Amino acid sequence: MMSSAQDTNLKTRLLQLECHFTWGLNKNDMDLTDLLTRLEEQLNLDLGREAGVARTHSCMGFVNFLLGSNTKALTDFTRSVELTKSHGNSCEKLLVVVYGDLAWLYYHIGNFAECEIYLNKLGDIEKKYPVVPYAEVLGEKGWSFFKFSRKYYDRAKGCFNEALKLDPEDAEWNAGLAILLYRLQDSEASTAIGQLRRAIATNPNDDVLKVLLGLKLSAQKKRSEYNEAESLVEQALEGSPEHPHVIRYVGKYFRNQGSVDRSIALLRRALEKVSNTALIHHQLGLCYKKKVIDLKKAGRYHKRHKEIKHAQGQCIHHLELATEMKTSFIIAMSELALQYGVNRDFLKADELFQNTLQEAKEKKDNYQSVLLCYAEFEQYRMKCEAAAIKHYTECLKINPKSDEGKRSAKNLIKIANRRIEHNPKDGEAFGILGIVHKERREKQQAVECFEKALSYADNKDYLSDLSELRLSLQ
């Protein structure tokens, strides 16, 4: 039986470790079952890459612990150790994380003797490599933050940057930072492109990185970069024609370029290659959405009615499958609600939007994107401009510089200008413009709009906004 003082001493030593148990990974920040499924799928994608498989087993071990399965956790951590050791003594630093995990797991199990064994092993590594932090540990920490939740993306970015300061040419950390910057909406395109180039330079055979760079370059709308993007996508598809992530991103590239049918064919092929197909179904749903738009734009609606109806049905079908397979798939849920609205199933759409908004807000997962979708649904489907203005405004205030924030500002300006054109003394419309200018930090324009709003409408909210702005301009 361990005394209270001994337990306190042991816990103090454990809290000083660098591992999943001490990194503040909160189970409430993630869908554990979905995360475990994604990690299991990652094992198949990492076959032949011992370091990647070892890392994934280590993450799976912690998830299984959070799910209450200590036996499975022990199996995963042990497998991670075996795979890491297969690299030889040069990879001892990579054992730091999983040894820490094992020490914590044995502590929770109550096997304090095994816990001490792993603490002693960590002490031996520290004596051998006294200079800390290790780039290997920072890199593993970055990948864990990246894999576990979007909420941890900023922390992941910090870890990858610190790891690369210590080892600038490491392919794993360069790839991690590149993929992260690709996903971060508020990262500069040039920064993401530059890091993707560096990552490819350290690992020229990574076809996922190539297609991600192709997507970023094509989004710049420059002819020279478009040609390079086409070349990168062709290389990726030729090099990894069966890789699910390559197929998924190539499908997205073709959809963005207007080759919807080609994208659908590729994504349908991908369905045969992976077990967790929620992401593929989501992409297929977006493809059929684009197909409906293209068919309507082409005109001759009556002749194309059956084709449009079929594509709309397929869009909803694949989005429903995506949300069934991944119950916390916020973006897919939001898109599905929007498509229910397009299909004039307004009650179903509104109910799903309400549920999605609540879940997105609680999990802090794509809440701004859902708000934008809901605002557009209220404006264009429900014809409720007041509700649309409310949601656009909330969306704008979350982050005016994001794509969603910019689209919300654009829609608010359109609404306000149309109302002012109809009634030049519409105080609320000038108040809307004032809010947009304020969020964009265009203070003088905001003051002018709020002054007009107050002269045409008695609204105390505008008064507080105006007072705040006047003080800031002094």
Side-chain angles (χ1 to χ4, degrees), residues 107-119:
Y107 173 80
H108 283 292
I109 290 172
N111 190 336
F112 303 120
E114 283 293 328
C115 176
E116 286 280 2
I117 288 172
Y118 281 99
L119 286 171

Side-chain angles (χ1 to χ4, degrees), residues 81 93-94 107 113 116 128 145 163 175 221-222 274 293 319 395 422-423 444 450:
V81 171
K93 294 177 188 175
L94 283 172
Y107 173 80
E116 286 280 2
K128 193 171 180 180
F145 282 141
K221 309 294 184 183
K222 296 179 182 177
V274 291
I293 293 169
L319 289 171
C395 181
H422 178 71
N423 176 15
Q444 190 57 53
F450 283 134

Side-chain angles (χ1 to χ4, degrees), residues 298-359:
R300 293 184 296 176
Y301 180 83
H302 295 293
K303 289 187 177 180
R304 298 176 182 271
H305 177 69
K306 285 186 179 179
E307 197 175 351
I308 290 170
K309 189 175 180 180
H310 172 75
Q312 182 64 36
Q314 285 295 299
C315 173
I316 290 174
H317 169 69
H318 286 290
L319 289 171
E320 285 178 337
L321 285 174
T323 56
E324 287 169 13
M325 292 174 179
K326 186 179 177 183
T327 54
S328 60
F329 201 163
I330 301 293
I331 289 295
M333 289 165 66
S334 178
E335 186 60 55
L336 178 58
L338 204 58
Q339 292 306 314
Y340 283 150
V342 172
N343 221 33
R344 305 189 68 78
D345 197 341
F346 299 129
L347 287 175
K348 204 170 183 179
D350 193 64
E351 183 181 357
L352 183 54
F353 263 127
Q354 295 294 340
N355 293 336
T356 307
L357 272 171
Q358 184 177 349
E359 189 167 348

Side-chain angles (χ1 to χ4, degrees), residues 49-79:
R49 296 174 60 249
E50 286 84 357
V53 177
R55 179 187 305 120
T56 302
H57 272 296
S58 187
C59 290
M60 287 172 64
F62 185 64
V63 175
N64 276 315
F65 165 78
L66 293 177
L67 287 168
S69 182
N70 290 337
T71 303
K72 289 181 179 178
L74 182 57
T75 300
D76 280 314
F77 288 143
T78 303
R79 182 60 180 147

